[in-house]
Amino acid sequence: MIVVNTEIIPGMRIIQLKGLVQGNTVRSKHFGRDLAAGLKNIVGGELKGYTELLTEARREAVSRMLAQASQLGANAVLNVRFSTSSVTAGAAEMYAYGTAAVVESETGSPSA
Amino acid sequence: MEALIQIAFVLALLGVGLGAGRIAERNHFASLEKREREIGARFSITDLRTYPGGARAGSVPVLVTGHACISSDYFKSFVAKLRKIIGGELRTYESLMQRARREAVLRMLEQSHALGFDAVCNVRLEGFDLGGAHLRKQGGVISVSVLASGTAYRMGQASGASVARPIGL
């Protein structure tokens, strides 16, 4: 699966558009992370636990989006965007969306 | 007496925040500058959607991302709280935003570098509200989270296009 956040892939052309695909996940911080973050909030610095949380959330959202794309028979997702919303105190939604498409290289052979 | 202890406690926290926060920030900026010099010089970074320089044939572009979540310190939060009474520019938080953004972009570049790419286009930066605005009102954790995303590719060799370097993100 080719995943990019541009509308085109150089050297390839779109043969078929499969429409919008999306994946989301709502994640909450847990108490241990909050405790560490509370202490970090006094001295400053990076909140590694929260960074990890974001990374996990992003991976999950993207993999759900890709699952949808492969279900549609696409081999590429173009113009991927991320968005978040704050659902409730201490929890956030990570949302990934893009356009699923079937692409092939301009020389002819469809690419994986 | 109890009020005195409370004031002393707040002053101690302020001192710790000022000291540790300054050191953390100085070290972070130094590390950012060093890594930006090392890796930024090798990369073409743009937020254009058109693959500047042209992509090399046979190389498939890839979506790359980078996260950073930077915490405020007690001193910064205290100064900001005071400033909010009269309103205006919250300078102590501006450096937080910059650190989170530059860190996120650098991590994205480091990922691209590890994958063997030399250019990133269509860079997007997005801020997050992890603490939750409602939580913040109750004196929750104050932090800044940024997600950087972009498309990494190999630049075409033939074009010899000039390399676009990041200028103080």
Side-chain angles (χ1 to χ4, degrees), chain A residues 23-112:
Chain A
N24 76 337
T25 175
V26 178
R27 296 272 165 138
S28 136
K29 315 172 272 151
H30 63 70
F31 181 69
R33 274 174 175 161
D34 264 352
L35 204 68
L39 291 177
K40 256 285 157 76
N41 219 199
I42 295 168
V43 294
E46 183 179 4
L47 299 172
K48 293 229 168 69
Y50 287 8
T51 306
E52 264 168 45
L53 183 90
L54 275 179
T55 308
E56 284 163 20
R58 195 247 316 145
R59 279 207 189 118
E60 185 62 40
V62 168
S63 77
R64 283 181 191 174
M65 178 183 74
L66 293 187
Q68 221 180 74
S70 57
Q71 212 173 27
L72 291 170
N75 67 354
V77 182
L78 308 170
N79 210 9
V80 174
R81 297 284 145 98
F82 294 99
S83 158
T84 53
S85 358
S86 179
V87 182
T88 164
E93 184 203 33
M94 172 80 75
Y95 180 57
Y97 58 105
T99 301
V102 179
V103 297
E104 65 169 19
S105 91
E106 265 162 7
T107 48
S109 61
S111 100

Side-chain angles (χ1 to χ4, degrees), chain A residues 2-8 10 29 40-47 50-51 53-55 58 81-84 89, chain B residues 17 20-21 49 51 55 62-63 65 67 69 71-74 107 122 126 128 130 134 141-143 147 150-151:
Chain A
I2 302 169
V3 187
V4 293
N5 73 347
T6 52
E7 284 122 81
I8 51 152
K29 315 172 272 151
K40 256 285 157 76
N41 219 199
I42 295 168
V43 294
E46 183 179 4
L47 299 172
Y50 287 8
T51 306
L53 183 90
L54 275 179
T55 308
R58 195 247 316 145
R81 297 284 145 98
F82 294 99
S83 158
T84 53
Chain B
R49 291 183 287 190
Y51 295 87
V62 163
L63 182 76
T65 54
H67 292 282
C69 184
S71 165
S72 172
D73 60 58
Y74 197 84
R107 283 180 185 168
N122 204 13
E126 171 141 18
F128 287 99
L130 250 190
H134 359 286
V141 172
I142 297 165
S143 65
L147 163 65
T151 296

Side-chain angles (χ1 to χ4, degrees), chain B residues 12 23 36 39 64 81 107 109 119 128 138 140:
Chain B
I23 292 168
E36 270 169 7
I39 206 163
V64 284
K81 247 181 244 166
R107 283 180 185 168
L109 291 185
F128 287 99
Q138 301 155 19

Side-chain angles (χ1 to χ4, degrees), chain B residues 58-134:
Chain B
S59 159
V60 176
V62 163
L63 182 76
V64 284
T65 54
H67 292 282
C69 184
I70 308 293
S71 165
S72 172
D73 60 58
Y74 197 84
F75 182 76
K76 279 184 191 297
S77 312
F78 187 82
V79 170
K81 247 181 244 166
L82 284 185
R83 188 70 218 240
K84 269 196 255 176
I85 298 168
I86 51 168
E89 194 178 11
L90 303 180
R91 269 176 211 241
T92 53
Y93 285 165
E94 285 176 359
S95 65
L96 278 188
M97 296 298 302
Q98 297 210 340
R99 280 163 67 194
R101 264 197 289 270
R102 285 169 69 178
E103 184 69 44
V105 168
L106 262 177
R107 283 180 185 168
M108 182 183 71
L109 291 185
E110 279 160 0
Q111 192 199 341
S112 317
H113 183 64
L115 292 169
F117 295 104
D118 62 0
V120 180
C121 66
N122 204 13
V123 173
R124 302 282 143 132
L125 291 163
E126 171 141 18
F128 287 99
D129 185 14
L130 250 190
H134 359 286

Side-chain angles (χ1 to χ4, degrees), chain B residues 3-4 17 52 54 104:
Chain B
L4 220 62

